[in-house]
Amino acid sequence: MIPALVVVAVVAALTAHTLVNATAWLRRPGAGPVEVTEAVAVLLPLRDEADRVTPCLRALLAQRGVPELRIVVLDDGSTDGTAEVVRAVAGADPRVTLLTGVAPPPGWLGKPYACWQLATRTDPAPTVLAFVDADVVLTPYAVAAAVTELRAAGATLLSPYPRILVRTVADRLVQPLLQWLWLTFLPLRAMERSPRPSLAAAGGQFLVVDRAGYLRAGGHAAVADKVLEDIELARAVKRSGGRIALADGARLAACRMYDSWPGLRDGYTKSLWASFGHPAAAAVAVALLLLLYTAPPLVAVGALVAGAPATAGLALAAYLLGVAGRAISARATGGRAWPDALAHPVSVVVLGWLTFRSYHLRKRRRLTWRGRPVS
């Protein structure tokens, strides 16, 4: 009985924290008409994105409220005609510059080096840099709204997390965990106020940074060999004395990260080992998640069969509290709450398996992404 009470209390506390984060501490930039006077460079790294760059680039060309907008695109060794698609979509628009990337030198991973080339090869006039991935589609005032929020927050780096589009069962099981994890376990208010680099979160799909602060932190050169270059960049900003902020960008951007289960599986596999660090820490974290969110419905059924209704009731309460936390997270970030939240225990199991797979493949030096090794 006592272990069940402890689980209920812990899950209740975590769900309460999710609610506080989602309702009181999460920044929500407005999506309405707003204008900025600063010069802004939107930086778009591309590697074999011919089949999905068009909506992204068209949305960038349609941005409003940024009179001095530059769009700088880097073709990072694509072999599928990405550069030709960019030229066809951009036409003769003078705001667009297409750069040809070079292979990363020793000690660099592909994504950080592509971003570093963009940041250092673009016009020096823009005071704000906005990094955008090819699978992100921005709303018309997204860049202007994000820059406005960056300045209002007094931050060096702002991460407006896009609304994640889900279509398949795998999407619906795994993708909402991204927002749920940081809303449940990361104290957002403390993250913004504390100078500790360990208290940092960011999503590389859409990142807005003050250019001077970015360079002071070392930019992507400071995270050259990091798989999670977005989070590590946020930590580098903190180490250099800057501030970071996380925002709900559901009204500013939408993102379909992966088109298939193999893509989703491999995308998470390449980076989960870097999220947890030492394998022992990963094992403890996954075990706790399974105990708090997957075990309760199993215990509830087992207790009912064994004739222990009090234990069954407590386990059911823990399960429902976990479901509530997942639903709160989805509502706060433009996601789908029902009936997906009911499968939260299964989501946690899949996350645990992906984490195990990530460490397993890394140990065998078999982690790759876009044809390049990542560890």
Side-chain angles (χ1 to χ4, degrees):
M1 181 71 72
I2 292 177
L5 281 169
V6 171
V7 170
V8 171
V10 172
V11 176
L14 289 171
T15 298
H17 185 252
T18 306
L19 181 62
V20 171
N21 264 340
T23 57
W25 293 348
L26 182 59
R27 293 181 176 274
R28 288 191 167 84
V34 62
E35 184 165 316
V36 297
T37 57
E38 296 181 75
V40 180
V42 176
L43 309 180
L44 178 62
L46 301 176
R47 180 172 172 84
D48 292 332
E49 301 283 10
D51 59 343
R52 60 179 179 176
V53 69
T54 297
C56 174
L57 189 51
R58 284 179 175 165
L60 294 180
L61 293 170
Q63 287 301 295
R64 303 174 186 172
V66 190
E68 295 188 60
L69 176 69
R70 280 87 158 168
I71 301 169
V72 188
V73 183
L74 182 87
D75 179 29
D76 184 22
S78 300
T79 59
D80 65 348
T82 293
E84 287 73 20
V85 174
V86 171
R87 292 188 187 97
V89 175
D93 195 310
R95 297 172 298 172
V96 180
T97 301
L98 175 61
L99 304 175
T100 300
V102 298
W108 284 81
L109 294 180
K111 176 72 177 291
Y113 193 57
C115 291
W116 183 239
Q117 290 180 79
L118 282 163
T120 54
R121 293 171 63 184
T122 190
D123 188 304
T127 55
V128 177
L129 305 177
F131 293 93
V132 178
D133 281 353
D135 50 12
V136 173
V137 177
L138 301 181
T139 56
Y141 286 94
V143 172
V147 173
T148 299
E149 188 67 27
L150 173 78
R151 296 313 189 196
T156 303
L157 178 149
L158 175 73
S159 177
Y161 206 84
R163 178 169 59 93
I164 302 299
L165 303 178
V166 295
R167 296 175 185 167
T168 67
V169 171
D171 283 341
R172 291 164 62 183
L173 282 174
V174 177
Q175 295 289 56
L177 291 177
L178 293 170
Q179 297 99 319
W180 173 76
L181 283 168
W182 51 257
L183 278 176
T184 301
F185 297 99
L186 182 68
L188 294 184
R189 184 65 58 84
M191 184 199 74
E192 289 193 15
R193 294 178 175 178
S194 171
R196 292 174 56 190
S198 58
L199 275 179
Q205 293 96 339
F206 186 22
L207 275 179
V208 183
V209 296
D210 174 77
R211 187 175 195 160
Y214 169 83
L215 294 174
R216 186 168 56 249
H220 282 86
V223 298
D225 61 346
K226 303 301 184 182
V227 175
L228 296 175
E229 84 291 334
D230 43 14
I231 296 175
E232 294 299 335
L233 180 61
R235 290 173 176 163
V237 166
K238 280 199 167 188
R239 281 192 291 268
S240 69
R243 294 184 60 195
I244 66 172
L246 193 66
D248 169 35
R251 292 182 291 178
L252 305 182
C255 174
R256 177 88 196 280
M257 292 177 64
Y258 304 107
D259 296 326
S260 64
W261 162 245
L264 185 152
R265 177 199 63 201
D266 294 344
Y268 277 83
T269 297
K270 74 175 171 61
S271 58
L272 277 172
W273 67 268
S275 301
F276 291 102
H278 194 278
V284 170
V286 170
L288 286 174
L289 287 173
L290 291 171
L291 173 66
L292 295 173
Y293 295 102
T294 300
L298 301 177
V299 171
V301 173
L304 279 177
V305 172
T311 300
L314 288 172
L316 179 61
Y319 163 67
L320 292 176
L321 284 166
V323 168
R326 172 72 172 266
I328 291 167
S329 169
R331 292 291 189 191
T333 56
R336 174 172 170 161
W338 306 108
D340 300 38
L342 297 173
H344 190 55
V346 180
S347 296
V348 173
V349 170
V350 176
L351 176 65
W353 176 78
L354 288 170
T355 303
F356 170 80
R357 186 174 188 266
S358 181
Y359 281 94
H360 176 74
L361 293 182
R362 182 173 185 262
K363 184 177 180 180
R364 284 156 178 74
R365 300 185 180 277
R366 291 168 53 192
L367 289 179
T368 62
W369 187 247
R370 299 296 175 96
R372 291 170 173 164
V374 296
S375 67

